[in-house]
Amino acid sequence: MMNSQVQAGSRSALLVVPNPILRPSRDSLVRLNRPGSWPGNRRKVGMGKVFAVIWDRSVSKKTGDNVITVKAKATVKVTVGGELTNVGLGRGVGDLLEVLGKSVRLELVSEELDPQTGLEKPTMKGYLHRKIGLNGLDVVEYEGEFKVSPSFGAVGAVLVRNEHHKEMYFESIVLNGFDQGPIQITCNSWVHARSDNPEDRVFFSDKSYLPPVTPAGLKKLREKELETLRGNGQGERKDFERIYDYDKYNDLGNPDDADTARPVLGGKDHPYPRRCRTGRPMTRTDPLSESRLKILVDSPYVPRDEAFSELKQAQFGLKTLKSVLHALIPGVEAFVEDKNMGFDFFTDIDLLFKHGVKFHKTDGEGSVLNSLLLPRLVKKAVDGGSDVLQFEMPSIMDRDKFSWMRDEEFARQTIAGINPYCIELVKEFPFVSTLDPKIYGPTESAITKEIIEREIKGVMTVEEAVAQKKLFVLDYHDILMPYVNKVRALEGTTLYASRTVFFLTHLGTLQPVAIELVRPRSETEDAWRKVFTQGIDHTTAWLWKLAKCHVAAHDSGMHQLVSHWLRTHCCTEPYVIAANRQLSAMHPIYRLLQPHFRYTMEINALARQSLINADGIIESCFSPMKYSIELSSYAYDLTWRFDKEALPADLIKRGLAEEDPTAEHGVKLVIEDYPFANDGLLIWSAIKQWVTDYVSYYYSNPGSVQSDTELQAFWEEVRTKGHEDKKDEPWWPVLKTNDDLIQVLSTIVWVVSGHHAAVNFGQYPYGGYFPNRPTITRNNLPVENESCAEFKRFLEKPETTLLSSFPSQLQATKVMTILDVLSSHSPEEEYLGGQVEPEWALVPEIRAAFEKFSGRMKEIEGIIDQRNTDLELRNRTGAGVVPYELLKPFSEPGVTGKGVPTSISI
């Protein structure tokens, strides 16, 4: 029989338990430990023939208030390798903690201060018990009860302690029993084991607060959590940590090996956005570069909650991509005897889709053949018991096998393909370079007025074409020129600077007019440049095809390195870091942005590991090769401006649109049938309206944007730390009004959703048949030297010259494989407007605004479908034309060529 002695008003209770073996029975201990019985910390003290259990309570003496019974339920996801894996199978201490009810401790934090002391009220502590075993379920529930005095006030946060020796993934915590109804706490986060970090994990309720109106009892906790997330900038980061900090891109190469040494990106010499700091050791030869020894085995550190979910890892993302990079591609490389071997005939390229590519089966951990989680292109071959990599026919070839050769398709893809971000209106003619003529040659282009007027059949003069906004250009001259000689010095590739001019016809389609390819003077050669046109004889017609091949390779590089990697993935990472460092998890703007940042840091870390690193996929398969990421730094320095990243601003900057307050979206398009812009403006306007509704609710008072200290710190840090190399630029927006904030947030949301979708998910549909978008050209044009043997071979067999310019068999196979994976949607993809966040649903006005936004996304689906059946819109429909669906909001899993996810998740 137990006897308890409790001193009135004391903070502890002594329970004396007689027991011949000097400890309480398990049943007694479990019964005594029921949540709510004695909330607080318990410690055991041996006292002769009794065993004393002392509770240190965190509640004041009884005040006469009616006690409320609050039931707590935590939903914990069963994860591979997490604490709940294989529960009960001889795990020892973990199971004992569950039996004793001491595995998960919860503390309730009041929103109010103690009126007597002016300090935070003592928390209410208790343990939660596991309610449901695994039994095939993917979640486990923990439950407990708290006896709470009404004077405790509303609960604004909880502290969670995980006493297990492994991390646990908490989905949500619900507190029931309060008069105001259930308190929902959305977690969706890992809770570290106490053995890794003794600090308890804090979760705030789903109610959002601007800093000035933060409940008094939560202010210090709000500040402390942000301090934890910022860290101290010291030491190597550990996997379980949630610390966000900045660093330069100093881990792409290996300075200890001359062949793979790469410059540090970020700073005066190579301006660049910042990435997440990992704190790994530096290399021997360069104290500014991080060693890649660990990165070869494990992915670089990202804060724990930024990692892919296990479903995404398992069914698609990280695990699949790693299998391709570390097993499949090495298997293909091992099979190919001649790494430089090209394709002898176009029929050989067709065999990639009909019969596939043989590769060596690999064994061991990470083997693509031993994995049940395979990319679609490999699974077919594995199911058939074959060692063949089988590619699916891309949609562009499935509809029209010869479309890649047509000039009209070459032009159409500049506004309805995978890179609609580079074409510009010709505002001045002739073209003039800004580069130093002493180094790079004449500043004026070789494309003359006479050439253009001849090619457009004299329908108007060049002056008239410029005035009427009929001339457009892909101008890669100045951005590529400084790298031409560097790239040409590398083995197995070449490069030119280029300009490609297009004319807008009376049908609203683009006609390619002329291509200029330029090579500056080098130590061994004089400068060379030539203008190519369609021609009316065989030789000029084949040279035109070769020139288009080079331009397509330039466009592929600019797409991958600038439009895709730099402007979406790379420039977004500082927003993610700054938001987590400066915006509390209870800040409404954090809760608006957080779904749009999901998984971005993880995919960027993987890119640094295997895609954009020295000798990675990009360097080995794209024409700038070892200068690829350095080129993206050059582009960042020359062209990137945050205030021009919003879609309307980008279109206006390129001359593709004009401001027009009477137009539907505030701009009038210069090319009326511009599929990317037409569909993109629908998405942009919907985003801006949703953001406007959201911001207007939380910032209803004049001056509230300017007085929001967390918001101002976030935006200041984006500018001064995340994009430090551009911090002094005058174009940075200043957050003073609601309109300023709406424009900034809409821009960020557009970049991570619509912009990224437009340049990512069509990569395999448009680039899977690589003659349509070669990523590299390996040979110089034969007319550079008409006395050489290459020119003679070109005259005898021009098709062979074209084929030899394409990527090698190994390069093509690697690119096609990667593009297939990167173009795929995960089964758990979250699409723009598809799912309301719990925190948004809590506020009726915000829920209604989101439902309006969601409904608009569904309307846009129908509008795009209707546009793709309108034969008058020749840039998106017609015989053999692939409909423009890249900005259709929703998609099925897999490679579909459509779908706008909420975030950059691949």
Side-chain angles (χ1 to χ4, degrees):
M1 181 175 182
M2 290 183 292
N3 176 37
S4 65
Q5 301 173 6
V6 184
Q7 182 179 349
S10 71
R11 298 178 59 85
S12 64
L14 173 65
L15 275 75
V16 182
V17 186
N19 195 295
I21 58 172
L22 302 184
R23 64 179 176 85
S25 68
R26 174 177 295 184
D27 291 341
S28 298
L29 192 56
V30 171
R31 183 170 64 254
L32 290 172
N33 193 46
R34 285 174 183 156
S37 299
W38 288 98
N41 293 323
R42 185 182 62 213
R43 63 181 187 271
K44 296 175 290 185
V45 182
M47 296 167 55
K49 294 186 178 181
V50 298
F51 190 92
V53 183
I54 300 177
W55 276 266
D56 292 325
R57 299 191 298 158
S58 297
V59 293
S60 60
K61 63 183 178 180
K62 188 171 179 59
T63 63
D65 295 333
N66 294 324
V67 175
I68 301 171
T69 299
V70 175
K71 294 185 177 181
K73 181 176 75 172
T75 304
V76 180
K77 193 177 184 71
V78 178
T79 56
V80 177
E83 181 55 40
L84 298 178
T85 307
N86 300 322
V87 169
L89 300 181
R91 299 185 314 129
V93 175
D95 283 348
L96 180 59
L97 287 172
E98 295 287 9
V99 171
L100 298 179
K102 292 186 60 177
S103 61
V104 175
R105 194 185 78 168
L106 200 66
E107 294 186 48
L108 310 186
V109 181
S110 175
E111 289 185 348
E112 303 172 2
L113 295 177
D114 189 319
Q116 296 180 357
T117 65
L119 302 175
E120 288 75 15
K121 291 182 177 180
T123 59
M124 302 294 293
K125 302 180 179 71
Y127 284 94
L128 303 186
H129 302 263
R130 191 173 70 232
K131 176 186 175 184
I132 302 176
L134 292 180
N135 299 326
L137 302 177
D138 62 353
V139 295
V140 171
E141 291 183 357
Y142 282 76
E143 291 187 336
E145 288 186 355
F146 293 82
K147 301 297 183 183
V148 181
S149 168
S151 62
F152 186 74
V155 174
V158 296
L159 300 175
V160 180
R161 176 178 295 179
N162 173 17
E163 298 282 6
H164 292 103
H165 291 288
K166 293 184 180 179
E167 62 184 3
M168 301 172 72
Y169 188 86
F170 279 68
E171 290 189 332
S172 65
I173 298 171
V174 179
L175 305 176
N176 273 296
F178 295 102
D179 292 340
Q180 67 269 33
I183 295 177
Q184 174 75 30
I185 300 169
T186 302
C187 305
N188 290 327
S189 178
W190 296 93
V191 176
H192 56 264
R194 191 184 180 199
S195 56
D196 286 330
N197 181 359
E199 291 289 326
D200 293 343
R201 177 66 193 281
V202 61
F203 292 107
F204 295 102
S205 75
D206 285 359
K207 190 173 182 180
S208 299
Y209 296 99
L210 294 176
V213 295
T214 305
L218 302 178
K219 285 185 177 180
K220 288 186 178 179
L221 192 60
R222 180 173 186 153
E223 294 169 0
K224 181 182 177 183
E225 175 68 358
L226 286 174
E227 291 174 359
T228 298
L229 291 169
R230 293 179 197 131
N232 60 11
Q234 303 297 317
E236 184 172 359
R237 298 274 64 87
K238 301 177 179 61
D239 290 341
F240 64 84
E241 291 180 326
R242 300 165 50 246
I243 294 177
Y244 296 78
D245 203 357
Y246 302 95
D247 207 345
K248 297 176 180 179
Y249 277 75
N250 60 357
D251 63 343
L252 302 182
N254 177 17
D256 295 337
D257 175 11
D259 291 337
T260 56
R262 297 293 182 269
V264 172
L265 302 186
K268 182 179 178 180
D269 294 335
H270 299 287
Y272 217 52
R274 299 304 192 258
R275 51 92 171 177
C276 182
R277 179 185 176 276
T278 63
R280 290 169 299 183
M282 298 299 174
T283 59
R284 289 182 288 105
T285 55
D286 182 6
L288 300 179
S289 294
E290 277 190 356
S291 171
R292 288 182 56 86
L293 292 178
K294 290 186 178 181
I295 205 174
L296 299 176
V297 179
D298 300 314
S299 295
Y301 162 83
V302 295
R304 188 64 185 96
D305 288 338
E306 302 297 332
F308 283 167
S309 72
E310 291 192 333
L311 178 61
K312 190 172 183 67
Q313 287 192 34
Q315 296 193 15
F316 169 57
L318 188 63
K319 191 166 185 177
T320 296
L321 192 49
K322 279 188 171 180
S323 294
V324 168
L325 291 170
H326 300 301
L328 178 57
I329 286 179
V332 174
E333 290 175 331
F335 193 88
V336 176
E337 294 181 1
D338 184 355
K339 303 295 189 289
N340 297 315
M341 180 182 295
F343 294 88
D344 294 330
F345 305 97
F346 279 96
T347 51
D348 293 340
I349 300 175
D350 296 340
L351 293 178
L352 294 173
F353 307 101
K354 292 182 179 178
H355 302 301
V357 178
K358 290 185 178 181
F359 68 96
H360 284 308
K361 297 178 181 179
T362 57
D363 298 317
E365 184 178 357
S367 169
V368 71
L369 293 180
N370 291 340
S371 174
L372 298 176
L373 311 165
L374 302 171
R376 61 175 189 151
L377 60 149
V378 178
K379 189 171 177 56
K380 284 185 176 181
V382 175
D383 289 346
S386 174
D387 52 353
V388 172
L389 174 61
Q390 181 82 48
F391 292 100
E392 292 192 7
M393 183 67 73
S395 53
I396 189 171
M397 284 298 292
D398 193 41
R399 283 178 173 259
D400 183 353
K401 183 177 180 180
F402 302 103
S403 64
W404 69 275
M405 299 180 65
R406 306 186 200 282
D407 289 345
E408 54 268 30
E409 180 63 16
F410 172 73
R412 187 187 76 88
Q413 288 186 28
T414 64
I415 56 175
I418 194 61
N419 187 28
Y421 267 100
C422 288
I423 190 167
E424 298 176 278
L425 177 71
V426 175
K427 299 176 182 178
E428 295 181 357
F429 189 87
F431 304 112
V432 178
S433 171
T434 60
L435 300 175
D436 186 348
K438 295 179 181 178
I439 300 175
Y440 299 108
T443 58
E444 189 167 306
S445 169
I447 299 176
T448 63
K449 167 184 170 69
E450 292 73 22
I451 291 174
I452 292 177
E453 291 177 353
R454 183 189 70 212
E455 293 302 311
I456 64 175
K457 314 303 181 188
V459 296
M460 61 180 67
T461 65
V462 166
E463 292 79 9
E464 291 171 332
V466 172
Q468 296 179 33
K469 301 183 182 345
K470 297 289 187 180
L471 286 184
F472 299 84
V473 64
L474 282 179
D475 194 344
Y476 297 142
H477 183 278
D478 284 11
I479 199 166
L480 291 181
M481 184 68 92
Y483 290 91
V484 169
N485 285 335
K486 293 180 182 179
V487 172
R488 289 168 73 94
L490 302 175
E491 183 181 354
T493 189
T494 191
L495 186 65
Y496 298 94
S498 67
R499 294 186 181 97
T500 307
V501 179
F502 301 88
F503 178 72
L504 183 63
T505 71
H506 68 285
L507 294 176
T509 58
L510 291 174
Q511 168 195 340
V513 173
I515 294 173
E516 178 184 24
L517 299 179
V518 185
R519 183 200 69 211
R521 183 180 67 251
S522 69
E523 295 180 357
T524 58
E525 296 176 305
D526 292 331
W528 180 89
R529 61 179 181 170
K530 187 173 180 63
V531 177
F532 300 86
T533 59
Q534 294 168 304
I536 55 176
D537 66 276
H538 290 78
T539 301
T540 54
W542 271 105
L543 288 173
W544 173 249
K545 290 182 177 64
L546 287 169
K548 286 197 301 179
C549 175
H550 283 270
V551 170
H554 301 166
D555 194 61
S556 291
M558 292 300 295
H559 158 257
Q560 200 66 262
L561 299 170
V562 180
S563 301
H564 184 199
W565 163 254
L566 173 67
R567 292 179 63 181
T568 65
H569 288 261
C570 187
C571 286
T572 293
E573 187 153 344
Y575 312 149
V576 185
I577 299 172
N580 282 278
R581 285 168 56 87
Q582 299 297 342
L583 295 176
S584 167
M586 66 169 66
H587 198 294
I589 300 306
Y590 178 86
R591 284 176 165 163
L592 173 68
L593 290 176
Q594 197 274 335
H596 298 291
F597 294 158
R598 202 165 282 151
Y599 304 141
T600 301
M601 292 180 71
E602 174 86 339
I603 191 63
N604 286 3
L606 180 60
R608 302 203 318 271
Q609 182 186 34
S610 303
L611 296 176
I612 65 171
N613 59 298
D615 287 344
I617 296 296
I618 299 298
E619 283 199 4
S620 63
C621 299
F622 284 77
S623 58
M625 297 191 81
K626 67 180 289 185
Y627 301 101
S628 291
I629 303 303
E630 182 182 330
L631 176 62
S632 75
S633 166
Y634 186 58
Y636 174 73
D637 186 33
L638 286 180
T639 66
W640 188 85
R641 294 178 48 159
F642 180 87
D643 64 327
K644 302 301 182 184
E645 290 301 287
L647 178 59
D650 170 78
L651 293 170
I652 292 170
K653 179 186 74 171
R654 293 187 285 121
L656 271 297
E658 303 167 339
E659 289 191 65
D660 183 354
T662 66
E664 181 182 3
H665 306 291
V667 294
K668 178 183 178 182
L669 294 178
V670 173
I671 301 176
E672 293 184 9
D673 181 16
Y674 186 176
F676 160 71
N678 282 302
D679 296 356
L681 286 170
L682 294 175
I683 302 286
W684 163 264
S685 296
I687 289 171
K688 191 167 185 180
Q689 184 59 59
W690 154 240
V691 172
T692 298
D693 293 341
Y694 190 96
V695 167
S696 299
Y697 176 81
Y698 285 104
Y699 294 90
S700 57
N701 298 323
S704 55
V705 167
Q706 238 176 327
S707 63
D708 186 338
T709 53
E710 286 185 5
L711 181 67
Q712 295 297 331
F714 156 69
W715 191 236
E716 177 74 3
E717 193 164 290
V718 166
R719 179 177 67 86
T720 61
K721 290 190 175 182
H723 288 275
E724 180 180 345
D725 300 326
K726 288 181 175 277
K727 68 179 187 302
D728 297 323
E729 296 287 353
W731 41 255
W732 280 102
V734 178
L735 296 185
K736 292 183 178 180
T737 67
N738 281 21
D739 288 343
D740 297 334
L741 179 57
I742 289 165
Q743 184 68 14
V744 164
L745 297 177
S746 298
T747 298
I748 292 174
V749 174
W750 161 255
V751 167
V752 302
S753 58
H755 180 157
H756 180 259
V759 298
N760 184 76
F761 293 102
Q763 290 189 85
Y764 189 81
Y766 282 93
Y769 185 76
F770 63 87
N772 182 60
R773 288 189 65 78
T775 57
I776 194 170
T777 42
R778 296 189 296 149
N779 295 325
N780 298 333
L781 285 163
V783 288
E784 271 198 47
N785 183 355
E786 295 184 1
S787 63
C788 68
E790 285 77 11
F791 182 72
K792 182 179 180 181
R793 282 195 291 270
F794 161 69
L795 294 177
E796 292 174 351
K797 204 164 186 180
E799 179 181 328
T800 300
T801 300
L802 179 60
L803 284 164
S804 66
S805 294
F806 287 149
S808 68
Q809 291 188 26
L810 180 59
Q811 288 170 330
T813 303
K814 289 163 69 173
V815 168
M816 291 165 69
T817 304
I818 292 299
L819 293 187
D820 186 276
V821 175
L822 297 183
S823 300
S824 295
H825 287 288
S826 165
E828 68 151 13
E829 198 83 83
E830 296 178 13
Y831 295 97
L832 196 64
Q835 180 175 327
V836 65
E837 296 294 314
E839 298 91 340
W840 304 345
L842 194 64
V843 182
E845 294 87 344
I846 299 299
R847 174 185 273 279
F850 181 81
E851 288 176 351
K852 182 173 68 173
F853 175 53
S854 180
R856 182 56 177 162
M857 288 297 104
K858 295 180 177 66
E859 289 179 9
I860 291 171
E861 282 259 312
I863 293 171
I864 293 175
D865 284 338
Q866 188 278 326
R867 287 175 174 177
N868 285 331
T869 62
D870 186 349
L871 291 176
E872 293 299 313
L873 301 178
R874 293 175 175 84
N875 291 321
R876 64 190 309 149
T877 187
V881 174
V882 176
Y884 189 77
E885 296 185 321
L886 290 176
L887 288 173
K888 281 190 68 173
F890 305 104
S891 175
E892 308 81 37
V895 178
T896 63
K898 58 184 178 181
V900 182
T902 303
S903 64
I904 301 171
S905 58
I906 189 61

